[in-house]
Amino acid sequence: MTLAQTNPRGDGGDLLHRLWLYTNYDCNLSCSYCVAESFVGAERNGLALPQVCRLIDEAVMLGMTELFLTGGEPFILHDIFTMLHYGLERMQVTVLSNGILLKGKRLGQLEALPHRERLTVQISLDGSNAATHDVYRGAGSWQKAIDAIVRLKAAGFHVRLGTTQTPENSQDLAAMCRLHRALGIPDEDHIIRPLVRRGFSAKGMAISLPALEPEVTVNRDGVYWHPVATAPDLLISPRLFPLREAVEQINEIRESLLMVTGGASSRFR
Ligand code: SF4
């Protein structure tokens, strides 16, 4: 998935009002650059529904306002709609997806959620044509992503596009912007992040903890500094609960880094 760069509202320069949850690691695609190391048939390694609900409750208690659900492909999970329902009653929610499963019964379940005005569905799209998208994501995946975007827009959802900038699509970004505008998605709902050398990707930008503006990120194994990767070098705590402990640790590290670097604006967000 491509990460999100959203909500400039009142965050005072930090992004600690966000909670990212890696709901699962299995996927219906096997993208060659996947930072989550997800693929078809990967171990699920998911958060259980009670853990997700407790994390949301604790995040709200800590004053967090935005929830991001990512994977893997979250819509593989039977519980995802219950997770979304629970989150939407308490926070702004973004769910990251390749979009392929969002049709038929699943689309109906998505439409039935409460507080749809708080929901953003972020679809990964890497090109204006199949060649630039499918080179990393597999043959046929571009058309399926486009079909998903059209279905979601027709159903009235707030759709954001997440693009991973790669050597293959760098010359295609202007055409891609014409395409998303034609699909009814404005410029502010198109985010572009560089390919990073993490997970399965041997190419791209190398990034480490000091270069990343922290966003609290949780998988079943612990709490991490940033959603770009749930890797050991970004692990803050192996304890999920209480979430406050890991958030306090993140704050302490952030403050000490700020004293060295002099500001968050130089960091990757
Ligand atoms: S769709 Fe997203 S999570 Fe699935 S393999 Fe591709 S990049 Fe990874």
Side-chain angles (χ1 to χ4, degrees):
M1 299 307 167
T2 302
L3 304 180
Q5 186 174 32
T6 60
N7 192 21
R9 297 188 303 276
D11 60 22
D14 74 46
L15 298 172
L16 294 177
H17 58 275
R18 293 180 172 181
L19 174 67
W20 284 83
L21 302 182
Y22 272 80
T23 55
N24 59 301
Y25 285 83
D26 46 339
C27 195
N28 54 343
L29 289 180
S30 298
C31 305
S32 60
Y33 65 9
C34 184
V35 293
E37 302 188 2
S38 294
F39 56 92
V40 175
E43 290 286 329
R44 175 151 297 176
N45 292 335
L47 284 164
L49 178 60
Q51 290 177 304
V52 169
C53 295
R54 183 172 169 190
L55 286 162
I56 291 169
D57 286 343
E58 294 197 12
V60 170
M61 293 285 286
L62 291 168
M64 300 168 91
T65 55
E66 275 195 282
L67 173 68
F68 293 83
L69 301 179
T70 190
E73 171 52 54
F75 287 101
I76 283 179
L77 301 176
H78 294 301
D79 284 340
I80 190 64
F81 296 101
T82 309
M83 294 175 185
L84 287 166
H85 188 133
Y86 198 84
L88 284 165
E89 289 185 324
R90 293 160 177 82
M91 304 173 87
Q92 296 283 334
V93 180
T94 297
V95 57
L96 280 66
S97 172
N98 57 43
I100 294 172
L101 296 174
L102 291 174
K103 56 188 172 187
K105 184 180 173 192
R106 284 188 181 87
L107 184 60
Q109 287 175 282
L110 200 65
E111 291 183 275
L113 288 170
H115 302 295
R116 270 180 55 174
E117 74 283 0
R118 297 182 190 163
L119 177 65
T120 297
V121 184
Q122 183 172 317
I123 302 294
S124 304
L125 187 71
D126 289 347
S128 70
N129 58 75
T132 50
H133 179 98
D134 290 359
V135 63
Y136 290 92
R137 294 181 162 272
S141 58
W142 179 82
Q143 188 59 56
K144 290 175 182 171
I146 295 294
D147 293 346
I149 293 163
V150 170
R151 286 193 301 270
L152 288 163
K153 289 294 293 178
F157 286 100
H158 179 216
V159 178
R160 184 185 301 132
L161 301 183
T163 296
T164 299
Q165 185 170 358
T166 65
E168 287 76 10
N169 69 10
S170 289
Q171 302 303 314
D172 184 46
L173 295 177
M176 198 180 156
C177 289
R178 288 194 292 275
L179 172 64
H180 75 65
R181 290 174 199 136
L183 291 168
I185 296 173
D187 291 359
E188 61 265 29
D189 284 326
H190 181 209
I191 60 167
I192 302 173
R193 303 299 286 269
L195 183 66
V196 294
R197 202 179 314 157
R198 285 275 176 175
F200 288 153
S201 179
K203 296 190 290 185
M205 182 192 292
I207 46 174
S208 57
L209 188 150
L212 293 162
E213 182 63 23
E215 302 181 37
V216 180
T217 300
V218 182
N219 74 0
R220 71 167 194 173
D221 297 322
V223 183
Y224 299 79
W225 179 259
H226 192 277
V228 71
T230 47
D233 64 310
L234 298 180
L235 180 67
I236 298 298
S237 171
R239 285 164 51 87
L240 271 54
F241 304 110
L243 185 61
R244 175 183 293 278
E245 283 184 2
V247 173
E248 286 173 354
Q249 283 180 261
I250 287 172
N251 257 318
E252 285 170 18
I253 298 169
R254 180 174 182 272
E255 289 304 315
S256 61
L257 285 172
L258 278 174
M259 283 166 50
V260 175
T261 61
S265 59
S266 60
R267 296 209 202 102
F268 186 88
R269 294 163 71 101

